[in-house]
Amino acid sequence: MNYRRLTGLGVAVAAVSMMTFAARNDFGLGRNMELVVNMMRELSLNYVDPVDPDLLMEGAAQGMVRNLDPYTEYIPEKNMSDFELLTTGKYGGIGSLIRQKDDYVRIAQPYEGSPAARAGMEIGDKILSIDGEDALGFTSEQVSSRLKGEPGSKVKVGVEHLDGRREEFTMRRERIAIPGVPFAGWINDSIGYLRHSDFTEGCYEDMRAEIDTLRATGRLKGLVLDYRSNGGGILQEAVKILSMFVPKGTAVVETRGRSEASSQTLRTASDPILPDLPLAVLINGNTASASEIVAGSLQDLDRAVLIGQRSFGKGLVQTTRPIGYNAIVKVTTAKYYIPSGRCIQAIDYSHSQQGDVKMVADSLIREFKTVGGRKVYDGGGIMPDIKTEPEYISRFAMTLYALGFIDDFGDEYTRRHYGEKIDDLRNFSITAEDYASFVEFMKDKKVSYESDTRRALKTLKQAAENDRFEDLVRKFEEVEKNLKDDTAANLETYRKQIIETINTDIVQRHGYTAGVIEHSLPGDEEVRRAAGILADRSEYERILKEQDTQKK
């Protein structure tokens, strides 16, 4: 059976090879295609154990792109639903994140307005059954596959709430759209704020609707666009978003590739709705791709002040090509260039097949000019106009979160305060008594955590032992003995960061993702910095007229 399939494939490929050779005189392509088929045939017929030709082909396809760049990839039919979710932000299901705990899967977060949220499912709910089948021992993947399905179909889910009540919900699956704009609101009376998280299909319409709502109040004097940790997505959505802020017909991005089809200049196609409103854009090291096009174009056009850290530096454009049998290959086909003419790609993959992948050297970084004559640079991401230090994130607090202790305490807190509402999500915080309860809660918990200081001491101690510096070894042992980084000590050292992590968990249970973002605004230094610059018109204009960016 497998032999006949491979023989047929070999004949087809040989025919294609001959036509390719005749049309393009490309002997190398035909030779290599024949080698692949011959190798698959030999493995299928002669390998000591039976092999699956489909898996052989999948491995060969993945191998072809492995040494190109991280963005060129083979996507088989079985992975197309995940790819669709990535590009459209949509899937069929009940609309909830889930997490594994012990022998059950629990609701981690229902999306606002989703079938799960409307039915009454809550964070912490234990999933007991799905369509009458006992869910004890199910993995997250098993639960996810059973909850997803065709929009319009029904699913019955039995849960146990945190207060011990058991309930069964019958929900109709819907086309769940993960919002590209999870929050828009106000920093103060006149400065608006909008968080844009990805460039999936329709994110322009989402963003336009939120901006129209802010404009309708009549008090919008400045707007902060938050592109921190936005990994990008669809290029055309970026162009449409830029059309809200710059004149119609403005060239905002150019793509240059090997083929004529991959080389084009993209211009805004509609009149702007906010042609003069002062803008500030927040970026960081995870701002990439389409979000760099928006941020970089606004900077090149002297249309916004950029605040934060250098962006990621992804200046490569991908195009999807069908290759048969419902599979596709996502291919890097071009580089993009923003209005100043710079490409912000940080890593050179041009010789990746030879194993030579490197960052753009400082000596090759070139100077460009914005429309007003300010100096900007290529060679690796967008450098902000106002550079800030990244927010400190406690590794210990993140470890507690990763181990599930924050969620578990959030469940305990919710049980004690079941049915209570939080009226002011922005300023909510647990009390000192609540934190004391958390410290007590953690007493019997094992936390696999080692501070950077202790790890560095171990390295120094080992080096001293290797070099026979016995006095130094004894001193390092003494310092290590006095180092207080056990769980109890860390709960006090990182108290502020842990409290905020707990606050975020509890706010999410009452206000979803939008509530978490709103809660974070008062303590966000970069948001405050942006609001201050937008409120000071003379400083805002000075930056856009005079201030060059740093080279690196």
Side-chain angles (χ1 to χ4, degrees):
M1 177 75 173
N2 287 343
Y3 176 76
R4 288 197 297 272
R5 288 176 61 189
L6 283 170
T7 302
L9 179 62
V11 171
V13 170
V16 172
S17 298
M18 290 177 66
M19 287 188 290
T20 303
F21 176 80
R24 298 177 52 198
N25 196 26
D26 194 344
F27 172 74
L29 178 61
R31 178 195 63 198
N32 291 326
M33 291 174 72
E34 186 176 351
L35 285 171
V36 169
V37 172
N38 289 341
M39 187 170 178
M40 288 181 65
R41 182 175 60 242
E42 290 300 325
L43 291 172
S44 183
L45 293 175
N46 299 316
Y47 186 71
V48 63
D49 295 317
V51 295
D52 185 337
D54 292 337
L55 293 179
L56 283 179
M57 187 62 231
E58 185 173 331
Q62 291 170 345
M64 287 183 200
V65 300
R66 185 173 296 128
N67 293 326
L68 297 177
D69 64 59
Y71 315 110
T72 297
E73 59 178 319
Y74 165 68
I75 303 173
E77 180 181 14
K78 64 182 181 181
N79 294 344
M80 283 302 295
S81 60
D82 293 335
F83 178 72
E84 183 185 8
L85 175 59
L86 242 142
T87 54
T88 67
K90 300 173 183 176
Y91 68 95
I94 65 168
S96 178
L97 298 177
I98 56 178
R99 72 180 179 101
Q100 189 92 38
K101 182 186 176 186
D102 303 326
D103 293 328
Y104 284 96
V105 171
R106 297 165 191 262
I107 298 296
Q109 180 198 343
Y111 296 132
E112 187 171 8
S114 67
R118 295 199 306 270
M121 297 182 96
E122 301 170 340
I123 292 176
D125 282 355
K126 182 193 297 183
I127 298 176
L128 302 176
S129 64
I130 302 174
D131 285 332
E133 186 177 4
D134 189 351
L136 175 66
F138 277 11
T139 65
S140 294
E141 290 75 17
Q142 288 173 312
V143 169
S144 178
S145 66
R146 285 165 170 78
L147 294 180
K148 288 180 179 178
E150 285 297 316
S153 62
K154 291 183 179 181
V155 61
K156 188 181 295 184
V157 182
V159 304
E160 181 178 298
H161 297 296
L162 290 174
D163 64 352
R165 288 180 300 116
R166 294 193 172 194
E167 199 168 356
E168 190 169 70
F169 303 107
T170 299
M171 292 167 283
R172 193 180 296 276
R173 296 182 180 96
E174 295 178 3
R175 187 73 162 164
I176 304 299
I178 301 171
V181 181
F183 177 77
W186 298 92
I187 301 171
N188 55 40
D189 288 341
S190 61
I191 304 299
Y193 170 91
L194 186 145
R195 171 76 63 86
H196 187 186
S197 58
D198 59 46
F199 283 80
T200 50
E201 273 181 17
C203 69
Y204 160 75
E205 282 79 9
D206 293 342
M207 192 167 170
R208 172 69 186 260
E210 295 291 358
I211 288 176
D212 284 342
T213 299
L214 295 175
R215 289 171 64 211
T217 64
R219 55 191 177 99
L220 185 64
K221 305 299 182 187
L223 179 62
V224 177
L225 302 176
D226 193 343
Y227 280 99
R228 292 174 296 184
S229 298
N230 182 319
I234 300 173
L235 175 65
Q236 288 73 16
E237 295 289 328
V239 175
K240 288 192 285 186
I241 285 167
L242 284 164
S243 72
M244 292 190 283
F245 309 113
V246 301
K248 181 179 179 179
T250 300
V252 291
V253 61
E254 179 185 355
T255 64
R256 302 177 196 168
R258 289 174 62 194
S259 69
E260 186 177 340
S262 61
S263 300
Q264 57 182 323
T265 298
L266 302 178
R267 299 176 179 273
T268 55
S270 59
D271 292 321
I273 60 172
L274 296 173
D276 304 309
L277 184 78
L279 300 175
V281 178
L282 305 183
I283 62 174
N284 65 9
N286 293 316
T287 301
S289 189
S291 56
E292 290 178 292
I293 291 174
V294 172
S297 296
L298 291 174
Q299 185 181 56
D300 282 357
L301 298 169
D302 295 318
R303 184 62 190 86
V305 172
L306 271 58
I307 300 168
Q309 301 87 49
R310 180 191 287 276
S311 65
F312 181 82
K314 180 180 179 291
L316 303 176
V317 181
Q318 283 72 51
T319 305
T320 56
R321 308 283 192 191
I323 55 175
Y325 298 97
N326 297 318
I328 64 172
V329 61
K330 183 158 66 78
V331 186
T332 296
T333 53
K335 294 181 180 179
Y336 71 74
Y337 297 78
I338 51 181
S340 64
R342 56 183 169 146
C343 178
I344 50 79
Q345 177 63 23
I347 301 177
D348 180 8
Y349 293 106
S350 59
H351 302 290
S352 59
Q353 285 182 290
Q354 289 77 46
D356 186 13
V357 176
K358 57 189 177 184
M359 302 292 289
V360 175
D362 289 351
S363 60
L364 298 179
I365 293 176
R366 296 177 298 164
E367 178 186 304
F368 293 81
K369 296 290 181 65
T370 69
V371 293
R374 296 188 299 142
K375 295 177 184 177
V376 290
Y377 301 90
D378 69 357
I382 303 292
M383 181 63 79
D385 302 303
I386 306 295
K387 191 176 180 182
T388 62
E389 290 300 315
E391 179 189 5
Y392 170 73
I393 299 175
S394 163
R395 199 162 56 83
F396 181 73
M398 289 300 96
T399 299
L400 297 183
Y401 177 80
L403 292 173
F405 296 136
I406 300 296
D407 281 325
D408 291 346
F409 181 74
D411 290 347
E412 292 295 327
Y413 182 93
T414 301
R415 286 190 190 96
R416 293 199 303 269
H417 299 271
Y418 208 85
E420 296 180 14
K421 300 291 184 183
I422 298 177
D423 295 324
D424 185 2
L425 292 174
R426 183 173 290 213
N427 297 306
F428 170 80
S429 182
I430 61 171
T431 65
E433 291 76 15
D434 292 328
Y435 191 70
S437 296
F438 178 71
V439 172
E440 185 67 28
F441 169 82
M442 288 298 302
K443 276 189 175 177
D444 61 343
K445 306 296 189 296
K446 183 174 176 56
V447 181
S448 302
Y449 173 81
E450 191 172 59
S451 68
D452 291 337
T453 304
R454 186 174 294 279
R455 285 192 293 179
L457 275 172
K458 282 185 175 180
T459 302
L460 288 169
K461 180 183 169 187
Q462 185 62 56
E465 288 175 349
N466 294 341
D467 292 333
R468 302 295 190 267
F469 295 148
E470 295 178 3
D471 288 345
L472 272 179
V473 171
R474 285 192 292 272
K475 288 179 181 178
F476 287 141
E477 287 175 344
E478 190 63 29
V479 173
E480 195 173 13
K481 192 185 304 179
N482 293 323
L483 181 62
K484 299 186 184 301
D485 67 346
D486 56 84
T487 297
N490 285 330
L491 286 171
E492 185 56 38
T493 301
Y494 302 110
R495 177 189 180 104
K496 180 180 177 182
Q497 291 80 21
I498 296 169
I499 285 176
E500 191 48 44
T501 307
I502 296 171
N503 288 342
T504 297
D505 179 87
I506 294 169
V507 166
Q508 188 174 52
R509 295 166 187 260
H510 293 264
Y512 302 95
T513 301
V516 170
I517 296 171
E518 182 177 11
H519 173 79
S520 73
L521 293 181
D524 193 319
E525 293 294 334
E526 289 171 350
V527 169
R528 290 211 293 259
R529 185 78 178 272
I533 289 172
L534 292 175
D536 186 346
R537 193 61 182 258
S538 61
E539 175 63 5
Y540 173 79
E541 291 178 352
R542 183 199 68 76
I543 294 170
L544 293 183
K545 288 177 181 177
E546 303 174 5
Q547 189 161 307
D548 302 332
T549 68
Q550 296 179 25
K551 190 172 182 179
K552 60 178 184 175

